[in-house]
Amino acid sequence: MGTVLRLSRRRFGQMAFGLAASAALPGRGFAASQTDTPLHGLSAFGDLKYPPDFPQFDYASPDAPSGGEFRFSVPNWVLNQSPLTFDTLNTFVLKGNAPPRIEGLYDALMTSSLDEPDALYCAIAKSVTIAADRNAYTFELRPEAKFSTGATVTADDVVFTYKTFKEKGHPSLQITLQELVDIVAEAPDKVRLVFSGKQTDQDALGVFGTPVIPKAFFDETEFEQVSAKPIPGSGRYEIKAFEFGRYIEYGKRADYWAKEMGFAKGLDHFDTLRIEFFRDRTIAFEAFKKGSINFREEFVSKTWASDYNFPAVASGQVIKREFAREKTVTFQCWALNQRRERFADRNVRLAINLCFDFEWTNANMFYGIYRHSDSCFETSDFKAEGPPSPAELEILEPLRDKLPPEAFEEVWTQPVSDGSGRDRKRLREALRLFAEAGWTQKGGRLVNGDGESFSLEYMIDDQGFERVYSKFVQTLRSIGVDASFRLVDGAQYQERQNRFDYDLIGSAYSLGATPTRDTLVGLFGSQTRDLQGSNNHVGMADPGVDALIEVVNKAKDRRSLTMAMRALDRVLRARLDWIPNIHSESHRAAYWDMFGFEEAKPDYGWPVERLWWLDADKARALGKA
């Protein structure tokens, strides 16, 4: 059983629906770009793919028909959103559970393309000008940009947004904005963002994709208390209808200000996006079989392998197929909460990992369709291999006294079991590691010197995880660990995760093609260890890792970024704070055969609801027109 992905903060702009445009300005990259010159886009490394006045993104389909409805359960989400339920329409705060894709209501100053790893193009902004000291960025706003209320997006709205998010926003937003020290409205259509001087180009790019909200809406409404009343936006979609916990419908705005601009043309073909919420995956699958849902990405290996045998599949009405993965980092790991002292010893984490027999689980529960992950950065060039290269050693050596010695040796990889489900050699090694950490068997229990039992509760929000990982828990029990599952509903899961109230949870994220400082700090940085709502689920706080994150952040080109990320990977695998779990090499999707789409996918994102369209002839043949 796989895990659906949360998106990193950097991916927010790629998921938002109504975004960027172009201007007749120089097509220069970020690091090499001129100062004091209006630009239409920025790139962390190298030149931009798209010139000024580009007609559309290459992956767009401007000749595709518009209309119809797309019904789906979401495979990914951001910030405080949940795919299981929702009780608020404010996605910008920590409190509550918001519906996925509500970001489609909002535009940003800039947005990313899906076929470049680190580029942004102007959206609400018409142009961006970099100051000579590269610490300030002045944006000229588009006069066409309007909120769904009809009001023009002004510099005051941008100032309000950034100041409010920095002070009161979701922790992920606060991390992104930490080096932004001032924001000034220089004119109704001009705003200047000022940084501390500690930021890098990558830090700035993360800031510019922040969604903009209207200041006037909050004249009589507290930002943190918004719930049943949606915050207006300037994006492609607006909310048509919803019922908390059951469904939400987003309707395409007929008056959307940027629909003919290069960034938006040929995207967002459906008039309505309807997201259904199910607390149980089995019920969600039954809804798909009945046609209540018409697209589904499958994350349950048993379902994929054996349950797509219903009549609609046999008749060809439902298509089951695999799509290639994007060129992005796949992060899927277990998080043992080191804020609880018994998990702080590396030997304990190594021992617990040895109790998971991937080979047995893959053969008996996963139907052989998953791969065992060695790294937090699977499916990317950032995954380290073998011993450190000279380039990696140049990064690691100055930090040797802060790093584990294992980081300078052959990189850690997952041990391979005999596939029996009870590899005695591995279990003896697990007991040895527990003993080194002060936990020994006594009366069938693992206890410490004070006679306290070693307990481990695996918190889950879907019963399917209990079926898939029951062998893991049974193995832990067999060597004396007081191991159990804790099944909670989606809202409780989110709340407990936010305040770090768990022993073990599973976490999955897309880190994009260019992991940024805010993403890495959110997962691994000392400053987020005690920041409730952050993604630092393991409770990491290590000076050596912090220093490596800064090396990554200061990379001047993609090669130096790759070497720094590989050095970081070596240290993360040597420490094993996050325990790499499993990954898949493809998307497994099923859909009712009523859609059109381009076979060629963009390399850095796959928002099906943006890229596909309704094929009226196919829909009529299915009786769904």
Side-chain angles (χ1 to χ4, degrees), residues 12-13 15-16 24 55 59 143 149 190 221 262-263 285 374 389 431 437 439 478 542 546 563 573 578 587 598:
F12 196 107
M15 294 306 301
Y59 52 83
T149 60
K190 187 174 291 186
T221 305
F263 72 92
F285 182 59
D374 294 317
S389 66
L431 285 170
W439 299 89
S478 75
D542 180 74
D546 293 340
M563 293 302 105
R573 288 156 73 176
W578 291 90
H587 294 281
E598 301 289 345

Side-chain angles (χ1 to χ4, degrees), residues 293-355:
I293 300 295
N294 48 43
F295 176 88
R296 172 183 174 86
E297 188 168 353
E298 187 57 70
F299 296 96
V300 180
S301 52
K302 177 181 182 297
T303 303
W304 183 255
S306 59
D307 292 346
Y308 282 87
N309 55 5
F310 51 94
V313 175
S315 67
Q317 292 178 296
V318 167
I319 306 297
K320 174 193 175 190
R321 61 170 289 186
E322 296 188 16
F323 294 85
R325 279 278 178 196
E326 294 74 59
K327 297 178 181 179
T328 54
V329 179
T330 298
F331 176 105
Q332 184 162 330
C333 301
W334 273 327
L336 281 164
N337 187 0
Q338 295 178 42
R339 299 169 187 85
R340 298 181 176 179
E341 187 177 351
R342 62 189 180 278
F343 303 121
D345 193 305
R346 175 178 181 265
N347 283 336
V348 166
R349 300 192 293 274
L350 286 167
I352 290 171
N353 183 57
L354 284 170
C355 291

